[in-house]
Amino acid sequence: MRNETRGTVELTLAMVLSGTLGVFVVESGASPFEVVFFRCLFGALALGAYSLARGFFTGHGFTARKLGLAALGGAFIVFNWVFLFEAYEASSISLATVAYHTQPFFLVLLGAVFTRERISGGKVGWLVVAFAGLVLVSGVRPGDTASLKGLGFALAAAVLYALSTFVTKRITGVRPHLIALVQVLVGIPLLLPFADFGAVAGLGTGWAWLVGLGLIHTGVMYVLMYAAYAKLPTAKIAVLAFTYPAVAMGVDWAVYGHHIGLVQALGVPLIVLASLKVTLAGSARPRVGGPARRTGGRAPEAASPAATRAA
């Protein structure tokens, strides 16, 4: 199997797994805080074991500054998960996932505010298109507080993920597996005060779903993603990333019977197209259309063009 073909398979599998995350969250029966706490706990075990087996701790590349940035990014990422899972409960997996994919636009705005990056007229146009799509997708009617609440949680999650990506992009020379490990490790003490262990004691089969979130959606999924990023060009990464919302919407319909209406459906391609355009414009490389540079023995950079895609 060719390198790029293998990367395509790996990233597609990772995005399919990401699309099933909502079902694991809902079926666990735990509250968002407990779900994220145990995702961090079991995810840390999975990523730690993988990193140890691959020898990633040797020459890890961390400095005090890089470790601090990874920890800060971790604080943003774990509370991003809390808000996203709250959005699932308040509205639906479909609505929350589509709204969550406004992340690239918040990243553009953060760049403009903190690094004075100029927002081109084209990006402004795509921001307007995405906002129009978001209005259509929300389908919020007067008095529909549940959908409005879910939309608010999903947008808050998108902002926090954009903040995490913005911070993590400043870390270079450290393997992304190790950065992800630091992030989930940070989540354990952060969420400990909010976790109600008495409430999860009687989950029964819900524990299997929680373990799955850690091992599958944080361990296996991240390993597949990072392996694929080193093999694929930016454009293909950006396109394949939209497998995630497509699968999430399909799973939400198949398992829970949730589906978006006709008017809402009109907004989906607007958000997808605008997000894709902004992502590609923001991650253009000199070797356009060529495969991503192989990392070899060197620790790859933390950030990825598709970093704002996986939940």
Side-chain angles (χ1 to χ4, degrees):
M1 185 182 294
R2 289 192 308 114
N3 215 32
E4 186 170 328
T5 302
R6 183 174 179 178
T8 300
V9 172
E10 288 169 339
L11 187 55
T12 301
L13 287 175
M15 293 299 100
V16 168
L17 288 177
S18 190
T20 65
L21 181 140
V23 173
F24 279 69
V25 172
V26 174
E27 292 300 313
S28 73
S31 77
F33 279 106
E34 280 84 53
V35 170
V36 179
F37 175 83
F38 286 106
R39 181 183 187 182
C40 288
L41 179 62
F42 295 127
L45 293 173
L47 289 171
Y50 178 81
S51 297
L52 182 63
R54 294 296 303 273
F56 290 165
F57 292 112
T58 302
H60 50 74
F62 273 120
T63 62
R65 177 181 177 277
K66 292 177 183 179
L67 192 59
L69 288 173
L72 179 59
F76 289 136
I77 203 71
V78 296
F79 284 107
N80 139 82
W81 287 339
V82 171
F83 278 114
L84 179 61
F85 299 165
E86 289 279 9
Y88 290 163
E89 288 190 357
S91 53
S92 69
I93 295 171
S94 298
L95 173 61
T97 302
V98 174
Y100 186 58
H101 271 67
T102 55
Q103 302 154 5
F105 306 104
F106 291 114
L107 191 58
V108 168
L109 294 175
L110 287 172
V113 171
F114 292 106
T115 62
R116 300 183 182 276
E117 293 179 9
R118 190 179 69 86
I119 302 179
S120 66
K123 285 186 178 179
V124 171
W126 288 117
L127 283 167
V128 173
V129 170
F131 180 75
L134 186 63
V135 171
L136 291 173
V137 165
S138 69
V140 177
R141 298 177 297 276
D144 187 3
T145 56
S147 293
L148 189 59
K149 184 179 179 182
L151 181 63
F153 279 136
L155 291 176
V159 171
L160 287 172
Y161 205 117
L163 283 167
S164 177
T165 303
F166 184 79
V167 170
T168 306
K169 283 174 68 177
R170 272 66 193 164
I171 306 173
T172 58
V174 180
R175 289 188 180 275
H177 309 78
L178 296 180
I179 295 174
L181 175 59
V182 169
Q183 290 176 337
V184 292
L185 284 173
V186 165
I188 297 173
L190 272 182
L191 296 175
L192 187 59
F194 304 100
D196 183 355
F197 295 105
V200 298
L203 283 180
T205 57
W207 281 105
W209 297 99
L210 290 178
V211 173
L213 279 168
L215 300 185
I216 299 173
H217 294 90
T218 311
V220 175
M221 187 182 79
Y222 279 21
V223 168
L224 286 172
M225 280 196 306
Y226 296 144
Y229 290 161
K231 304 181 182 80
L232 298 175
T234 300
K236 180 166 283 191
I237 290 174
V239 171
L240 289 175
F242 285 100
T243 304
Y244 161 36
V247 171
M249 293 172 70
V251 168
D252 195 24
W253 171 77
V255 178
Y256 301 113
H258 296 158
H259 61 86
I260 60 177
L262 178 60
V263 174
Q264 289 176 299
L266 294 176
V268 174
L270 295 181
I271 293 177
V272 169
L273 179 61
S275 179
L276 184 61
K277 289 288 188 179
V278 170
T279 300
L280 290 176
S283 57
R285 297 181 182 181
R287 292 176 61 191
V288 177
R293 184 173 52 172
R294 297 293 300 278
T295 57
R298 185 180 62 84
E301 294 188 2
S304 159
T308 55
R309 290 293 183 271

